[in-house]
Amino acid sequence: MVRTVIDSATKFAQESGNQQIVLDCLSALAAGSASTVKHARADSAKSERMCMLVLVTCCILYDWISPKGVSDAQSGIDAKAALDLVSERTLVDSTPADRVLRANCRTLR
């Protein structure tokens, strides 16, 4: 399923000519989610988990849509900060968020 979402988003960004706009949107979503988690602004554990999912998803999509990937110095998402933030947190089925992030990004290992 992850591969299908990545392929669809990448295809849309490339074929529509809106690649930079899509990358900017992903960066903004990731920044908002990271800020919410970092500053403990979520009103419940469920909301915090949703923000973690959004952050991880944005990083993965950014990595595949951007020619240089999320780990590039010019990336709109600070990959190191995202990894630090998600480490030791779990997503669904007790899967560590950093493992999901590393397993699905092509440039982040």
Side-chain angles (χ1 to χ4, degrees):
M1 183 165 159
V2 173
R3 190 74 225 164
T4 301
V5 173
I6 290 169
D7 290 345
S8 296
T10 303
K11 182 178 178 182
F12 167 78
Q14 291 171 344
E15 290 180 359
S16 68
N18 293 320
Q19 186 172 4
Q20 190 56 50
I21 293 169
V22 171
L23 292 173
D24 291 345
C25 288
L26 291 170
S27 298
L29 279 169
S33 297
S35 177
T36 299
V37 172
K38 183 178 180 179
H39 299 293
R41 292 186 185 134
D43 58 358
S44 68
K46 187 176 180 178
S47 294
E48 182 175 305
R49 195 168 34 258
M50 177 58 78
C51 287
M52 292 298 300
L53 282 167
V54 169
L55 175 59
V56 169
T57 302
C58 287
C59 288
I60 292 167
L61 289 174
Y62 192 103
D63 191 62
W64 284 93
I65 294 170
S66 171
K68 295 183 180 180
V70 73
S71 60
D72 185 69
Q74 304 296 321
S75 171
I77 297 176
D78 185 345
K80 183 180 178 338
L83 268 173
D84 289 345
L85 191 60
V86 303
S87 66
E88 298 184 25
R89 295 179 189 257
T90 58
L91 293 179
V92 292
D93 301 329
S94 301
T95 304
D98 57 332
R99 191 169 97 199
V100 172
L101 191 55
R102 289 179 191 279
N104 290 290
C105 287
R106 64 184 171 86
T107 64
L108 191 61
R109 299 286 176 215

